[in-house]
Amino acid sequence: MSERTVITFGTFDVLHVGHVRLLARARALGSRLVVGVSSDQLNLQKKGRLPVFPQEERLEILASLGAVDEVFLEESLELKRAYVLNSGAAVLAMGDDWLGKFDELSDVCDVVYFERTPSISTTAIIEQILGDAD
Ligand code: CTP
């Protein structure tokens, strides 16, 4: 059977079950999952804060997961199309917080949005830990 590559992007900081489920569902769409891990600088631009875990550690953590075949650093949102083409991906899979945002790439791959796992996010975990510390 020929290889079917799936690609996804994200910060994946303070890894949690929402991330793990998203990665498992993305991997199940094909035979190889490539993950573009947002750089520290890109996260600062997107979310207004640096990640808890620096990019080298987030890359290492993601690469160690069974669902993930390959990782690379995503340095710019404008390069999405180039990253997709470079990876040879047949599918781009994202959580539905990005619903519709990548439809313009549907000329080069299938674009799939998964429902987010409810009630969990890196931001909520950080806020909970900060709250507990008070
Ligand atoms: N994701 C998900 N379910 C969640 C949280 C995240 O499916 N509960 C998905 C996102 O939709 C995205 C990927 O996991 O496709 C990476 O998301 P990321 O932004 O790194 O995680 P968040 O927990 O949303 O981070 P933050 O709170 O910093 O925005």
Side-chain angles (χ1 to χ4, degrees):
M1 207 185 79
S2 67
E3 192 170 72
R4 182 172 162 86
T5 298
V6 183
I7 191 167
T8 192
F9 297 87
T11 307
F12 300 99
D13 187 27
V14 189
L15 199 73
H16 58 68
V17 74
H19 295 147
V20 170
R21 289 180 189 165
L22 181 282
L23 293 167
R25 283 183 287 175
R27 178 62 174 73
L29 294 178
S31 54
R32 173 174 172 255
L33 178 62
V34 178
V35 181
V37 178
S38 303
S39 70
D40 294 342
Q41 281 310 310
L42 182 54
N43 201 75
L44 190 58
Q45 277 170 35
K46 267 194 324 189
K47 301 191 182 184
R49 62 170 165 78
L50 283 170
V52 174
F53 296 132
Q55 60 197 34
E56 293 76 19
E57 293 184 13
R58 289 181 289 112
L59 284 164
E60 188 177 336
I61 290 166
L62 267 290
S64 77
L65 300 177
V68 176
D69 297 287
E70 208 176 306
V71 295
F72 69 91
L73 200 61
E74 181 195 21
E75 304 208 62
S76 163
L77 293 177
E78 280 76 58
L79 291 175
K80 271 268 167 3
R81 177 175 291 269
Y83 291 135
V84 170
L85 290 172
N86 279 348
S87 70
V91 187
L92 168 62
M94 296 293 297
D96 65 5
D97 41 331
W98 295 96
L99 190 64
K101 299 262 166 53
F102 297 113
D103 289 356
E104 72 204 37
L105 296 175
S106 56
D107 58 333
V108 290
C109 62
D110 293 341
V111 181
V112 174
Y113 303 98
F114 290 119
E115 209 175 300
R116 277 171 70 93
T117 299
S119 314
I120 189 160
S121 70
T122 297
T123 305
I125 293 167
I126 293 170
E127 282 170 3
Q128 189 181 341
I129 293 168
L130 289 174
D132 287 352
D134 288 343

